[in-house]
Amino acid sequence: MINQDLVDYLKGHGVCVVCQLRYLKARGNEYKDIKESLEKLNVKYEAAAPQDEEEDNSETVCKKAKQQSCPCCLGLFSHSFQSQLIESILQTDIHKFECSDIVVAISMPMIVQTRQLAMWYALLEKFGNKIDKERAPDVPLKEAIKLIINPIICKELQKGYDANGIMINIQLSHNMEEDNLKKLKQLHEKAFPTAPNTKRQVVSRGVLDKQYMPKRIKADLFKEYFTVPPQADDILKLDSIEMTGPTVFVAGRYRKISRELSHTPWVLNGKRVMEDSIEEIIIRTVAPYFCKDISRVIFMSSGREDVDVRCLGKGRPFVLEIPNSIHTTLPTAEAHRMECEIDKSCKLSVKNLQMVQREELVHIKSGEEQKKKYYRALCKLHDPATPEILQKLDIPEGFQIQQKTPIRVLHRRPLHTRPRMIYKMKASVDKDNLRVLVLDVVSQAGTYIKELVHGEFGRTTPSVSSIIGQPVDILALDVMAIDLDWPKDVDNSLPE
Amino acid sequence: MQIDPLAEYYFQHEPQTICGQEVTAIIDEYVDNYPSVVDRFFTRYYYIKKSGSDKSPYQVLFHSNRICLISLAPEHPAYSNGIASLNFDIGQTDRAKNTVKGKGKKGGMVLQHDSTLALLTTKSGEVYKIPSCVRSKLVEVNTTYSENPESLLTAEEGANYIAIVLPKPEHCEDIKASLMTQEQYDEYKKQLMETSTEEVEK
């Protein structure tokens, strides 16, 4: 039985019980049972690798391995290291995060990888062709960490494991890493020679993972630089632990009543044109509750309006992507405070503030062209309106236009002629001035309404101007509605 | 009693409160002396060929984003003589075959200020080589008037553009300096009037 021989060999070289299991390709409960009780381990252990030896014997080996630090994992899987790790995590500011899940990222020195390679060569030497030369004989450390260390951290912190949780970045080091890297570099130059003057590939973790295997590097060459089998050494050192809070999403709808407020910061030749913007007002009011560094917050909205266009009605849906957040919920009272704060600007109003899931962002991001937008335009006719003109502009069935990229954005966008649907149009007139027309337009997203009105020198056809056969100009534009039923209605002014 | 035929079309403002304020009706924003699209976004410049006998004037509408619209100045002889044809095929090249790709307008024909954009033939038979006026890249030609060239003469300012061109940002200042401003052009017209009256008097 190779299993028995393998375990005996590993034990004989001081390999810890966890790494023994790794070399037995254990990929499940076996590890969990270790941490729960040694006894239980022994049962499982025996089941996994039947053997005649007594239980006490394996126990002593286990203890021995712990003290010496395993030559394969350099103590990574030892109880003492794990308790040190947990203790250090608990000493961080992890408690400031209001989040029930964590995700763990452990960065190890490359010496650990070299150690696995050395053991691979040792096993090849011992067991010959029973060991594959391309596929590593052990369960990769990353995988073993997931199976062993992550559940322990979760249990100690009483958190679940989720990719959207608090990211715990653990940096490990080893006092022989510098020497290890030097040797690796020398080995790499010999093992993978490159032509002079070509840029040399750096030995990275990825390169080690993919290219370093007995099939590609002869054992004798490897042994020139590294001891085979690997020897026990100092235990890994815990360098640093950093916490990154989860990325959260806060959605809402905004309305804009100022014609002097741009969507995003408007900078021309390094100077601000408008002192403020929708993006900045929302971020500086909402984001500080969630994170310290608001510069990394991303503002997204379902389309945008020009600086001189008001956005009325129910408003435009938007969402903030907030990384490294300390909160994952938004109390109603806090949301209401933010909404009231924004109202004080007298330019912008935000309602329906709420937390949303990342998955819901598809509402804002996709199907942009399918969305309908409702506009109201203030137009000036060349001649006073007649019933005939108003009838011509009453088009409930809609029509299609061909719209060239407007001149005002042509310097920075490609020239295209785009078909756009006008789903509905209706005109009304000012009782006191028959040249003053109010046009209600329902259009496909992406339609340039100002150009639809005046026709932009014939570059948008048909246009309001071409339909009635006289010059028409647009003086003001309002967005009346955006047909996106997201995010859901939330009245934050009501007590929870 | 007479029925108002427009009664059903009168605008009615629906009240709404935002930021604790009553939203103003859109018709409140009407102003009588609202400047035209050209006045709002463009600066008028003029171009007259420096060499040759043809001294007909052309207009360059310079957008604030540096896009230029090239057209005949209102004093161009075509306005008095009528247009028989407007042709973008200028011999070696057909400007109507111009294509541009992407934001950078790749593939657009490169133009010098005196490169011919199009050939205009008046009803009296004179042929005018319409110059590009601006060192730039050709973005778009206006083929609307190829079939019915006379309609060019009745088109509104701006709508009578022959071509849209895009100069390089670093050339804009030099280009503007090389063109006549509205003021300079008005002065030029005045002098032209004076010399022609003098000639008549002689």
Side-chain angles (χ1 to χ4, degrees), chain A residues 41-55 58:
Chain A
L41 154 92
N42 283 336
V43 177
K44 270 280 176 188
Y45 180 56
E46 289 204 344
Q51 53 177 301
D52 305 320
E53 282 175 63
E54 290 160 39
E55 287 180 12
S58 69

Side-chain angles (χ1 to χ4, degrees), chain A residues 431, chain B residues 1-5 7:
Chain A
K431 197 176 180 182
Chain B
M1 210 180 96
Q2 212 175 357
I3 296 168
D4 182 353

